[in-house]
Structures are given as C-alpha cells and as structure tokens.
Amino acid sequence: MRQLSGHEASFLYADTTHANANVTFVQIYDQSTAAGGTVRFKSILAHLAGRLHRSPVFRQRLLRVPLELDYPYWVEDEHFDLEYHVRHIALPKPGDWRQFCIQASRIHARALDLNRPLWELYVIEGLDSFTDLPPGSFAVLIKVHHAAVDVEGRHEIVDALHDFAAEPPRPEPPQPWFPERAPGPLKLLARGAFSTLLSPLSLAAPLMRLAPVAWTFAGDVVAPEQHAATRFNSVVSAHRVFDTRRFTVAEFERIRTLVPRATVTDAVLAVCAGGLRRYLAANGELPAADLEAIAPLAGAKAVAGAEAPWQLVGLGTAIEDPVARLRHIQRQGASARAGLRSRAARGLADLAEHVPAATLKLASRWLGLRTPELRRPLACCTVSSVGSPRQPLYLCGARLTYFSAILPIADGMGLVFAITEYDGRIVVSPTSCRELVPDPETFTQAVRDSFQEYLALADAGTAPLRPATRAASAAARPAPRPRAARTAATGRPAAPDGRRRSTARPG
C-alpha cells in the first residue's frame, strides 16, 4: 500500500465531468517483423498477462480516506480482471489517419473507472491507409490517469510491454499473485486525522523556502502582464481532437543553426509558435501582444515527486520574421526571470506535499471550476516533452514505428503540444477540444508550414541572427495593447464587428 503524493493527488482532485487528467500513449507497430508476419490479439493478451508483476500500476486501484482527511492510497485490486482493461477494436474502411485520430480522441476523452486500476489498453487494427507507415500496421493505445504516471519520465507500463529485440524471450508464465487486504475505514480515519494534525508543523519549512519567490509567482498567476487571451483560454468541452506531424531530429538540428547557441528544444518551440501564429492569423484572431506557453524548464529535474519545474516562454507570435522569433525564444532559456519561476515552482511542489488533502481537493476543484472570464490567462498553451523510448522497441516481435501522446487539457488551457522523440524522429502532437479547434488538420498543417519555412531558411544558408542588444530588443518589442473583448459564453475574443465567433464543426 502506497499513498499518493500531493502532486499526484492534485491531478485526481482537478478532474471534472468534461475535463479529466487522462494521458494516452499512442503506439503504432509494423507486424511484418514478427514471426509469421502477424501478431494476434490473444498473443498480446498472453504477453501482458505474463508481465503484470513488472509494474504495480497494472493491479492497483485507489482507496480514498473517509472525509478526505488524507491523500488516497494505492491498494491492490482483489477483483482485478485483465480482460476488462485490454480491448480489441478495428477501424472501418478505408482505415485512414483521420479516422484513427477521431477514434483515439474519443477513447482518450472517456473517463476511467476510479474503482478499478486507472489504465486501459486498446489494440486497434485496420490501419490500411497510413502514409509513411507499413501496410497492415496496428496500434496500441495505453490510457492511464495522470495521477499514476509521470509524463516526462520513464513509463513503467510502457517498458513492461516491450522488448529490445524482434525475437522476444520465452513467454513468462503468470506469477502467483495474492493481493494484500486493504485497511478498513477506521484505520484510514486514524491515519488521516494524525496526518492532518501534523500538517501545520510540516508546512513551516516549505513556506520559508517559498517566501523569497512568492511575490514573483503571485504576480504571474494573479496579475500576469500583457498576456493576451485567445480562443484556447476558454472553457473546454468533453470532446477531444488530436492530430500529429512527424519530423526528423536531423532537420531540427539544421533549423537550430539559424541562431547561435539555439537548441533543438528552442527550434521545436519556434515551429510550434509559428504554427500557432499562422492558425490564429488565418482566423483573424492573432493578438498584437506576444503569446506565452508553459513549458518545462530546460535541464531541470523533478523534485518532491513532481514533474520538472516549468517556465513561461514568450513564443514571439508578434514577431513576423521567423529567425528573429527563434532568437527571441533562445534568449529566454537562461534568463533570471525563468530561474526565479523555477525556484517558485520547486517551492510549490514541496508545499503541495504538506497541504491537507481536503484543502488541496477544494483548491483543485475551485481552480478547475473557475471560468476563464474570471481570470486573466496565465499562458496560451502548454508545450510538454513526453518521456520517450531511447531505442527501438518491439511488442511480440512487431517493431514500434511511431510513438506520441494525447495529453489532458483543462478550462482556461485548451491547447497542449505533446513532444516526443523516438527512433530519430520528433513528433509534435497538439490536443484540444473540437469546439476550440473544429479543424485539427488545418491546425497541424499550419505547424507543418511553419516547419517547412524554417527548414527552407536553414537549407538556403540564411545568415544566423546576431545577438541583439538590450536596447534593440526593447525597441523590437510590440507596445502593449488592450486585450480584445471576449464573449461571455466562450471567453474568446469577439469578432471585429462584435458578433460571436462560430464554433460549429464543419460537416
């Protein structure tokens, strides 16, 4: 029995009926490398049955403390049923990429049963019309709650499923399993009451470490400066959209040479920023002020059971020149402001470990239920680096050819980019809801066009941009302008003539 950390519990408490914290790993396989050229569903089921002991995530469910006096516990599910969690479906003809993305989005959007282990695995066949992927490929979607997985770290549930060679070792026979008996309500109440009594004493040290940077963080959250609102800073629906674009690491290596000391991460952010700028401009919604994204702090490590500290990155969407935009992003990597935010995030991660469970639940619900109209947007979107396999992997002999992720969104933050790197390729996968992005193919094509623009400049030998002086940089920044009025129903910028923008999905 293991108790959830405050960070893990916060994802659980923030769940709403229309926005849950599911994370879905999307994996596509070439079964021609398997023995006989075919992988059967029953083989995958037997393969997984022999590896359940490799990760506690498979057979552990949540046990809540009465009256929410303490964080929930992971306990073994005495009624675990593997065939409930592993499912088999197929796409109808023609089995193209758009059909697959719609099906994956629907699976991702459905809430997990909180009375069972928080994962589901879907084997999807019928992928017959995929560009750049072998015919006869099949996909595996692993949906798991964010409370049970570290998005940026290694994933036990993914590692347990795969081998490093096309010839898998001899199948492991299922190991005997005797679930531990969960503690009763009275024992949980006693533990929760004791933990609640100790919480005020435990809060002292984190609060002292947080004090030097609290004002900086509060300024960003309570009264952010010049943060323009976009359609993505609205209430999200229960319907998800997901799409993806694949590039090579070598191409991003060429793009980063446009600016001295730029990294591949800077280049990826610049491509995402360019795509966002193109999409909003095409819809007449590009703000004059620069848009910002929440992104993990480069080189930072996770602390106190939390993910790596984040930073706010100006995306340079107000900058027309793509090379100047990349330079703008590169200059922020080691800024003092980002470092201060990093220390604030570390302090908050430590603080969350000692906040009483009932308080954290109420705070998470309050933040989740607040409408964007009641607050200024902290950022336009999130760009998250998802922990990816470091070498080629195989499932029952089938080679993994594609790896990406669908990440959760929430009210006020309706767009997230998942960035994965596997087998020499970088995959950019935006997730939103269909009311905010009714045309996901158009959005990802804007990202693709941004990438092609950068790659063409790099291949043309465009001279790297010289580091700008502070005075020149200040002069280049757009003057702050008032934010556009937003409609009361959606929180989106109103159209120039005052009419509400349509969110209907085209037929």
Side-chain angles (χ1 to χ4, degrees), residues 60 62 74 112-114 116-120 143-145:
Q60 288 185 342
L62 288 172
W74 292 114
L112 290 159
D113 185 349
L114 297 182
R116 295 176 179 265
L118 297 183
W119 67 277
E120 294 172 355
K143 181 171 72 173
V144 59
H145 198 281

Side-chain angles (χ1 to χ4, degrees), residues 87-98:
R87 304 167 187 190
H88 187 199
I89 60 177
L91 293 181
K93 297 293 184 181
D96 58 24
W97 179 253
R98 189 72 234 129

Side-chain angles (χ1 to χ4, degrees), residues 158-296:
V158 174
D159 292 343
L161 198 63
H162 294 95
D163 299 300
F164 296 117
E167 295 183 4
R170 184 183 299 275
E172 302 178 33
Q175 293 191 3
W177 177 63
F178 304 97
E180 295 181 358
R181 189 176 182 85
L186 291 179
K187 188 174 181 179
L188 290 175
L189 276 172
R191 287 188 181 189
F194 182 72
S195 177
T196 301
L197 289 174
L198 291 180
S199 292
L201 299 176
S202 303
L203 282 170
L207 283 172
M208 291 181 64
R209 286 193 292 270
L210 186 64
V213 290
W215 287 110
T216 298
F217 182 83
D220 285 335
V221 175
V222 178
E225 298 178 359
Q226 302 180 14
H227 291 180
T230 68
R231 63 165 65 192
F232 306 113
N233 301 118
S234 302
V235 174
V236 301
S237 74
H239 310 103
R240 297 291 168 265
V241 292
F242 156 79
D243 203 352
T244 189
R245 286 293 183 270
R246 298 198 304 165
F247 314 100
T248 68
V249 176
E251 290 169 331
F252 273 108
E253 288 283 359
R254 298 209 303 272
I255 289 174
R256 76 178 184 87
T257 62
L258 288 168
V259 171
R261 299 183 299 278
T263 65
V264 169
T265 299
D266 296 331
V268 171
L269 282 170
V271 167
C272 293
L276 187 61
R277 172 186 165 88
R278 286 172 177 268
Y279 182 78
L280 292 175
N283 286 278
E285 300 174 8
L286 181 65
D290 189 16
L291 298 177
E292 291 190 314
I294 297 175

Side-chain angles (χ1 to χ4, degrees), residues 141-159:
L141 268 58
I142 304 176
K143 181 171 72 173
V144 59
H145 198 281
H146 205 334
V149 66
D150 174 13
V151 171
E152 296 166 17
R154 293 187 61 83
H155 314 303
E156 289 182 353
I157 200 167
V158 174
D159 292 343

Side-chain angles (χ1 to χ4, degrees), residues 1-146:
M1 188 175 77
R2 181 182 69 83
Q3 190 173 28
L4 275 70
S5 68
H7 179 72
E8 293 167 338
S10 67
F11 293 114
L12 185 67
Y13 295 149
D15 275 354
T16 65
T17 55
H18 62 280
N20 52 57
N22 293 341
V23 175
T24 301
F25 300 111
V26 182
Q27 300 153 140
I28 300 178
Y29 300 86
D30 175 12
Q31 61 181 336
S32 67
T33 62
T38 302
V39 177
R40 297 185 179 278
F41 174 72
K42 66 178 183 180
S43 299
I44 296 176
L45 195 63
H47 174 79
L48 184 55
R51 301 193 174 197
L52 293 175
H53 63 281
R54 293 192 176 189
S55 173
V57 175
F58 286 120
R59 289 187 288 210
Q60 288 185 342
R61 64 175 178 86
L62 288 172
L63 179 63
R64 293 181 179 271
V65 177
L67 305 179
E68 298 293 347
L69 286 180
D70 206 353
Y71 302 135
Y73 289 86
W74 292 114
V75 298
E76 293 181 326
D77 183 8
E78 299 177 4
H79 307 289
F80 175 74
D81 179 9
L82 178 60
E83 295 192 24
Y84 168 84
H85 293 273
V86 183
R87 304 167 187 190
H88 187 199
I89 60 177
L91 293 181
K93 297 293 184 181
D96 58 24
W97 179 253
R98 189 72 234 129
Q99 288 175 292
F100 175 73
C101 288
I102 292 172
Q103 184 63 261
S105 299
R106 288 173 177 168
I107 291 172
H108 171 79
R110 289 197 291 266
L112 290 159
D113 185 349
L114 297 182
N115 296 313
R116 295 176 179 265
L118 297 183
W119 67 277
E120 294 172 355
L121 186 148
Y122 293 80
V123 178
I124 305 179
E125 296 183 327
L127 315 185
D128 300 323
S129 303
F130 280 22
T131 304
D132 298 330
L133 292 176
S137 296
F138 69 93
V140 170
L141 268 58
I142 304 176
K143 181 171 72 173
V144 59
H145 198 281
H146 205 334

Side-chain angles (χ1 to χ4, degrees), residues 307-507:
E307 296 173 359
W310 53 264
Q311 63 176 336
L312 285 175
V313 179
L315 296 176
T317 53
I319 303 173
E320 184 175 358
D321 177 42
V323 179
R325 190 181 312 125
L326 175 58
R327 179 60 182 168
H328 174 76
I329 292 172
Q330 183 274 331
R331 291 183 68 247
Q332 299 174 76
S335 69
R337 189 168 175 231
L340 198 56
R341 285 186 176 135
S342 169
R343 293 194 295 276
R346 289 172 185 267
L348 285 175
D350 197 4
L351 185 65
E353 298 306 306
H354 305 284
V355 173
T359 303
L360 183 59
K361 180 177 182 179
L362 288 173
S364 299
R365 291 283 184 179
W366 179 71
L367 289 173
L369 293 174
R370 287 182 70 198
T371 61
E373 289 80 5
L374 299 180
R375 65 183 179 221
R376 302 179 68 184
L378 177 62
C380 171
C381 62
T382 301
V383 182
S384 182
S385 176
V386 178
S388 309
R390 297 299 181 183
Q391 62 189 93
L393 297 179
Y394 296 83
L395 170 62
C396 298
R399 191 178 192 278
L400 178 64
T401 57
Y402 169 96
F403 180 86
S404 69
I406 311 175
L407 298 183
I409 58 175
D411 290 344
M413 189 63 67
L415 174 64
V416 57
F417 292 90
I419 311 298
T420 56
E421 180 181 341
Y422 169 72
D423 199 22
R425 288 186 177 271
I426 290 176
V427 181
V428 179
S429 306
T431 302
S432 186
C433 73
R434 72 185 186 197
E435 284 71 19
L436 301 184
V437 182
D439 49 355
E441 307 98 324
T442 302
F443 186 93
T444 49
Q445 184 58 46
V447 174
R448 181 75 185 181
D449 291 343
S450 172
F451 170 82
Q452 294 290 1
E453 180 181 38
Y454 274 108
L455 190 61
L457 291 172
D459 291 343
T462 300
L465 189 69
R466 297 177 180 275
T469 63
R470 288 187 179 181
S473 297
R477 292 176 188 155
R481 299 185 183 181
R483 294 184 299 157
R486 292 181 291 167
T487 64
T490 67
R492 296 189 189 174
D497 58 1
R499 293 175 297 175
R500 184 180 302 172
R501 297 187 183 281
S502 172
T503 60
R505 190 174 188 181

